[in-house]
Amino acid sequence: MSPRDRRAAPATAAEAGAWAETLVRHGLLHAAVPVPTGQWLVQRNPTAPVRVLDGPTEVLHLAAQLQAHARTRRSRIR
């Protein structure tokens, strides 16, 4: 079982929105915008290409990846 499969319920748009807002506020993403199709447009920094995520689940997966990367960097610095 992978970490992506551990959720009991599917990700919601509200949950994805909260994570996206947090990632932008903390500088882990430059922008994250939901579109009417349910997809999300995300950009890591102002010069990076815009990525299209297929829904809330992918936003949460990206959040988990960014958190893991940040934790790994912090532990290497110590």
Side-chain angles (χ1 to χ4, degrees):
M1 179 184 278
S2 74
R4 289 179 86 174
D5 300 330
R6 290 188 187 153
R7 291 184 56 92
T12 65
E15 185 178 14
W19 274 108
E21 181 181 329
T22 300
L23 293 172
V24 170
R25 187 176 340 117
H26 288 278
L28 296 171
L29 284 179
H30 172 68
V33 179
V35 295
T37 62
Q39 296 174 313
W40 284 76
L41 305 177
V42 297
Q43 190 176 27
R44 293 285 300 262
N45 61 57
T47 60
V50 174
R51 288 178 51 195
V52 179
L53 303 181
D54 283 331
T57 300
E58 287 195 22
V59 174
L60 268 57
H61 181 66
L62 177 61
Q65 288 176 326
L66 292 172
Q67 286 179 323
H69 180 73
R71 278 193 294 267
T72 301
R73 276 194 12 219
R74 265 193 309 241
S75 66
R76 277 190 239 153
I77 293 172
R78 291 179 189 180

